Structure formats: C-alpha cells, structure tokens
Amino acid sequence: MSANLKYLSLGILVFQTTSLVLTMRYSRTLKEEGPRYLSSTAVVVAELLKIMACILLVYKDSKCSLRALNRVLHDEILNKPTETLKLAIPSGIYTLQNNLLYVALSNLDAATYQVTYQLKILTTALFSVSMLSKKLGVYQWLSLVILMTGVAFVQWPSDSQELDSKEHSAGSQFVGLMAVLTACFSSGFAGVYFEKILKETKQSVWIRNIQLVSFSLEPSL
C-alpha cells in the first residue's frame, strides 16, 4: 500500500510540475488586448493560498478545534521567535526565486526552461554536500554530469533558433537564462537550508511553512 502511494505521489508531482510550467508559460505569452498581469501579483496570491492550505492542515491536526489551532499557532510561532526568525533567510530567497521563474518563462520557451531549471538538482546536491555533509556515490555524481551535459546541449544554438528569434530577441534569451540560473542556485540553497532546519526541530512541516510564508508576504507585496 505504501509503495503504491509512493508511486502515485511521484506521478502527481510530475504532472503538477509539468502542467505548472506549461500554464505559466502560456499565461505569460498569451497575446490578448489589455495589459499582462503582474507576475508579482501571482506570487502573492500563491503565497496566500499556501498559508491558507497550511492553516487548514494544522486545523485538521488540531482535531478541527479553533481553540486548539489558536493555541498551536501562538505556542509554535509567537512564543518561539528565534525558531521563527530562522525562516527569514529562505523566505526571502524563495520570494526572489518565484519572481525570477516568471521572468525566465517570459523569455524562454517551456522546454528550454524546464531542462535548464533541472540544474537545481546539481546545486541542491552541492549545497547538501557542503551544508549537510552528505556523501554522494559514483552513480550520483555521474548522473549530475549527464544532467549538466543535457543542459549544455539544450543551450546549444540550432537552426530552429532563427525562427524563435522572431519571438524573442537575443537579449531576452540572455535575461531568461540568467533568471533561471539564479533561480537554480537560490532553490538549491534555500531547499537545503530548509531541510537543515526541519531536521533540527520537532515542529511540523505545516507550521514551518506558515512561518516561511509569514516572512515572504511582505517582500512579495
């Protein structure tokens, strides 16, 4: 049962990640009358939905009691300012990253973005080795080399790029590439930092996400 749930979760995650990129790309390049929506607005709305979902999950864990929910939020967030402040760093980085992803998708095609953004696996591995003292095996390092090679091939100029130049200039391609590379490094660092905090505390991931969003809303706004 647990194995089936694991693969089901993996399938849902793959579908969600792929569909997210395609819908974000479509929404940023759709040609219609009127101004395009602000990417920063989309980031704020996503953060609001995230904190609402986490509060609902904490409410469920609190046996659907508002009094218990209020006590948990007060004890775990307000009464532990040091633990809460630890999330300020990854929160600011995630805010920057989420805005950069919209910039990248506005200047790169979905396939190039999706493959290039997988470099976050490399940055996450490097930060895991340096910050969490993790050890990677030969096959893991080989996989990272293959990943870098694949990203390099995707960026290799081809004849089809002449057609794409009508839609994107060389400058916008460069902006998109720099945005996605910066997002890769910020994602790797923030993810490993967040993992390190989760392993050092007994607080639930839902509480930690509420703390995370509480710091990201202000810079997002």
Side-chain angles (χ1 to χ4, degrees):
M1 186 68 180
S2 60
N4 293 334
L5 182 61
K6 178 175 66 175
Y7 289 113
L8 177 63
S9 301
L10 177 61
I12 294 174
L13 180 62
V14 171
F15 175 78
Q16 182 267 335
T17 305
T18 307
S19 59
L20 174 64
V21 171
L22 293 176
T23 51
M24 285 174 63
R25 168 66 181 169
Y26 178 76
S27 67
R28 295 304 291 170
T29 57
L30 181 64
K31 295 180 180 179
E32 60 178 11
E33 296 182 359
R36 182 186 297 173
Y37 70 89
L38 294 174
S39 59
S40 55
T41 302
V43 172
V44 171
V45 172
E47 293 300 308
L48 288 173
L49 291 174
K50 186 189 300 181
I51 195 171
M52 289 170 58
C54 290
I55 290 175
L56 284 175
L57 289 167
V58 175
Y59 175 70
K60 179 178 177 296
D61 291 341
S62 303
K63 299 179 180 179
C64 300
S65 170
L66 288 176
R67 180 175 297 179
L69 171 65
N70 182 62
R71 185 174 63 253
V72 169
L73 294 178
H74 188 272
D75 293 343
E76 298 294 336
I77 298 177
L78 297 179
N79 286 351
K80 295 181 179 179
T82 304
E83 292 295 321
T84 302
L85 283 172
K86 289 180 180 179
L87 275 297
I89 295 176
S91 177
I93 295 175
Y94 276 132
T95 303
L96 172 65
Q97 172 194 330
N98 290 334
N99 282 278
L100 285 173
L101 294 183
Y102 278 96
V103 175
L105 275 170
S106 299
N107 295 282
L108 296 174
D109 62 90
T112 302
Y113 164 85
Q114 186 73 297
V115 175
T116 308
Y117 191 46
Q118 298 314 306
L119 277 177
K120 66 181 180 180
I121 300 175
L122 172 64
T123 59
T124 302
L126 295 176
F127 283 119
S128 295
V129 171
S130 60
M131 296 174 62
L132 300 178
S133 300
K134 284 188 175 181
K135 294 183 178 180
L136 301 180
V138 176
Y139 288 111
Q140 291 171 316
W141 283 114
L142 180 61
S143 299
L144 293 175
V145 172
I146 295 173
L147 172 66
M148 292 178 60
T149 306
V151 173
F153 274 123
V154 168
Q155 299 300 329
W156 194 271
S158 62
D159 295 336
S160 61
Q161 286 186 342
E162 295 179 3
L163 298 176
D164 294 337
S165 61
K166 296 180 180 179
E167 182 181 358
H168 299 298
S169 65
S172 64
Q173 289 276 358
F174 178 77
V175 170
L177 182 60
M178 289 299 101
V180 74
L181 289 178
T182 305
C184 287
F185 279 95
S186 63
S187 174
F189 175 78
V192 173
Y193 186 94
F194 191 49
E195 180 184 349
K196 183 179 177 68
I197 291 175
L198 287 176
K199 289 182 176 180
E200 294 176 350
T201 183
K202 296 181 179 180
Q203 289 178 312
S204 70
V205 67
W206 314 126
I207 292 294
R208 282 304 193 182
N209 270 294
I210 292 174
Q211 294 171 325
L212 198 67
V213 176
S214 64
F215 282 110
S216 65
L217 277 176
E218 292 80 5
S220 296
L221 289 169

